[in-house]
Amino acid sequence: MEVSTALLLRTPLFRGIPQEALPALLEGLGARKRRCGRGEVVLRRGERADRLGLVLSGTLHIVKEDFWGSRTIVGLARSGEVFAEAYACLGGEPLEVAVLAAADAEVLFLSSVQALSCARPGTAEFTRNLLTILAGRNLTLTRKIGHMARRTTRDKLLSYLSAQAMQAGGPEFDIPLDRQQLADYLAVDRSAMSTALGKLRDEGVLTFQKKHFHLLQQMEQTD
C-alpha cells in the first residue's frame, strides 16, 4: 500500500506522530486504501462501519435518505478530513447516512478499535488526535443545535451571526459559508433567509456583502 507519508503527517489525525513510526502504526491499524470513482458509494446506509475513513484526495458527500428515497447532503468530507469516526468508535452501529464520492477520490480506512489495543509507537498521538476530532465535531454539533433551536429564521440568523462575531472578537467578520450553505446549515429556506437578511439590513441591525458581515447594534433574541 503506497500512501504519501508527508500527506498523512499534514492531517489532523496523524499530527505529531514521528515519521519513522508511521509505517508500523499503519500496519497496526490495519490501514487499507481504496480508490472511488465519481458517484461511487463508499459506505451504504445500514451497513456497520468498523473502520473510520480518512480522505486522501477528492471530496465525499455525507447523504441522508428518507423513507421515500429523497436524498439530502448533510455534510462533506474533504482531503485530510475523517468520516464515519463516531460509528467506528461505537463498534457495529448501523450507518444512518450514506457516503458517496462527489468526484474521484482516495480513502484510507483505519481500525479505531485496533488503535486502542495497538502498542506501537505513535498510537498515543493517534488516539489523542482522534479524541480531539470527535470532541470538535461534538462542539460544532452543539453550536448548530443552539442556532437551530431558535423559532424563526431571523432568530436563527442572529444566533449564528452573534456566535461568528464573538469568535472573530469584533462586529466585522467573514463567514465560511455561501448563502445556500448557510441556509442548509440552519435548516431554513434560502429565499426566506434572504428576506430575513434584507429586513435586518433595512432595520440597521447589520450590513453584509457576500460572506462579509458587520453587526451594527445589539439585538435581543427571543427564546
Side-chain angles (χ1 to χ4, degrees), residues 153-154 157 179 183 188-203 206 208:
T153 297
R154 175 192 178 94
L157 278 168
R179 289 292 182 271
V188 298
D189 178 75
R190 177 176 176 174
S191 178
M193 185 190 73
S194 296
T195 299
L197 279 172
K199 288 182 178 179
L200 288 168
R201 179 189 56 204
D202 295 343
E203 293 168 9
L206 53 78
F208 58 87

Side-chain angles (χ1 to χ4, degrees), residues 52-67:
L52 63 91
L54 171 66
V55 183
L56 300 176
S57 65
T59 299
L60 307 182
H61 284 167
I62 315 300
V63 177
K64 183 77 171 180
E65 188 174 288
D66 65 18
F67 178 81

Side-chain angles (χ1 to χ4, degrees), residues 106-179:
E106 284 191 334
V107 174
L108 187 67
F109 284 103
L110 305 156
S111 172
S112 57
V113 175
Q114 287 179 234
L116 299 177
S117 58
C118 179
R120 306 189 184 200
T123 301
E125 290 89 345
F126 178 88
T127 304
R128 183 179 63 245
N129 292 340
L130 179 57
L131 287 172
T132 299
I133 291 169
L134 286 166
R137 293 279 175 87
N138 183 64
L139 182 58
T140 298
L141 181 59
T142 300
R143 288 170 176 164
K144 181 176 181 178
I145 291 172
H147 305 320
M148 291 177 62
R150 302 289 178 170
R151 295 177 180 174
T152 67
T153 297
R154 175 192 178 94
D155 287 343
K156 289 178 182 181
L157 278 168
L158 289 172
S159 177
Y160 173 78
L161 294 173
S162 172
Q164 291 293 305
M166 288 189 287
Q167 186 176 336
E172 202 162 352
F173 53 88
D174 292 319
I175 66 171
L177 308 173
D178 61 27
R179 289 292 182 271

